[in-house]
Amino acid sequence: MNRIVVGAHYGTSDWLAQRITALIMAVYAVVVAFIFMSNASMSYAVWKDLFAAGWMRVATLLFAVSLVWHAWVGVRDILMDYVQPDGLRLALQVSTLLLLASYLGWTVQILWR
Amino acid sequence: MSSAAARKARPKYLSLRALLFEIRLPLPGWVSILHRISGALLVFPLTAWLLFLLDASLLSEAGFEKTRGYLALPLAKAGMLLFIWAFCHHFCAGIRFLLLDLNRGIELHQTRRSSLMVLIASLALTAYFGARLW
């Protein structure tokens, strides 16, 4: 096996993923903000229909996946910068992954109920 | 080497006093650290809270009305205001970082101006959405 142990660009794919997911979330956020603003007094029927629509479910799922991926890269960066003890950092990273995975599961549960 | 530089006490250690009163963070630094703080807040607890609200509001008509009543509480409104600021700041600062990645506006005077714009825009958006909330 040919392993390169020195060099650069190890973080390039994370860096790129964080930026692409940011763009996906930005588009979703603007669309949802417009929907919110155009429905000044949101009723339950409108709210329920909005999240029953197929495109909205898929868009929200895409947003949730983007959020989880984006947040993982960001939180990992923060932990690598500020938490020096290896054991504590590992524990916090595992906790973050569990938290983000449960967010994703919860979102799927809410959307397809 | 100038004598003034030679007379300075070296090494200089970070202290709480230094962090609070001696080190002045430039505007781009404020945008950066607030981007981190807002991002961390959005991950926890704000996303969990919003998922809880979305869950309750979509469950039933009674749940929807209950959520509406809950969001009328001052503490819940304060939480929503914190979410709006964190999101708007993270959004505006994020767009600035994306432009910096594309080498747009990387001169010193431009970065200072754009960071001021980010701070003002996120506060203005927070005021706008906050006013809509109230």
Side-chain angles (χ1 to χ4, degrees):
Chain A
M1 196 185 279
N2 184 20
R3 281 198 179 151
I4 305 164
V5 288
V6 289
H9 310 301
Y10 292 126
T12 310
S13 54
D14 289 330
W15 177 88
L16 193 59
Q18 198 177 33
R19 273 134 190 92
I20 292 169
T21 52
L23 284 175
I24 295 169
M25 287 190 288
V27 171
Y28 179 90
V30 170
V31 170
V32 168
F34 265 103
I35 292 173
F36 257 106
M37 290 298 116
S38 53
N39 289 286
S41 55
M42 182 76 79
S43 70
Y44 177 65
V46 173
W47 185 238
K48 198 180 163 62
D49 284 352
L50 176 64
F51 280 95
W55 67 269
M56 186 58 175
R57 283 180 172 169
V58 171
T60 306
L61 184 66
L62 268 180
F63 176 84
V65 172
S66 297
L67 187 146
V68 164
W69 197 344
H70 184 94
W72 168 240
V73 179
V75 172
R76 189 170 147 260
D77 281 347
I78 292 179
L79 294 176
M80 285 193 298
D81 276 355
Y82 302 131
V83 183
Q84 302 309 324
D86 291 339
L88 179 62
R89 189 172 62 246
L90 181 65
L92 287 171
Q93 285 178 341
V94 171
S95 312
T96 304
L97 282 174
L98 290 175
L99 179 74
L100 293 174
S102 50
Y103 282 168
L104 199 55
W106 197 2
T107 307
V108 171
Q109 197 194 3
I110 292 170
L111 289 173
W112 283 276
R113 176 152 55 193
Chain B
M1 194 198 275
S2 73
S3 55
R7 258 187 277 116
K8 275 188 180 173
R10 293 280 189 262
K12 186 165 175 58
Y13 297 105
L14 282 180
S15 62
L16 193 63
R17 213 182 93 82
L19 282 173
L20 289 177
F21 303 109
E22 289 172 16
I23 297 173
R24 286 271 168 267
L25 206 52
L27 277 182
W30 278 106
V31 169
S32 179
I33 194 65
L34 288 175
H35 192 72
R36 282 205 156 177
I37 293 170
S38 59
L41 282 175
L42 286 168
V43 170
F44 193 81
L46 290 171
T47 297
W49 189 51
L50 285 192
L51 274 172
F52 165 76
L53 293 176
L54 185 67
D55 195 358
S57 68
L58 282 174
L59 196 60
S60 63
E61 182 140 24
F64 183 80
E65 292 306 327
K66 214 172 144 185
T67 309
R68 175 167 279 173
Y70 170 68
L71 280 178
L73 297 174
L75 196 64
K77 277 188 174 173
M80 198 47 96
L81 207 58
L82 178 68
F83 164 72
I84 292 170
W85 172 79
F87 193 93
C88 291
H89 181 84
H90 208 79
F91 185 94
C92 294
I95 287 172
R96 177 174 174 271
F97 289 141
L98 286 175
L99 291 174
L100 290 177
D101 285 342
L102 296 171
N103 288 338
R104 299 288 164 87
I106 52 172
E107 298 300 326
L108 184 59
H109 68 280
Q110 294 173 317
T111 59
R112 282 185 181 150
R113 197 177 54 201
S114 63
S115 14
L116 190 63
M117 279 164 61
V118 164
L119 291 170
I120 291 173
S122 53
L123 286 176
L125 284 171
T126 307
Y128 172 73
F129 288 116
R132 295 285 302 240
L133 189 71
W134 257 269

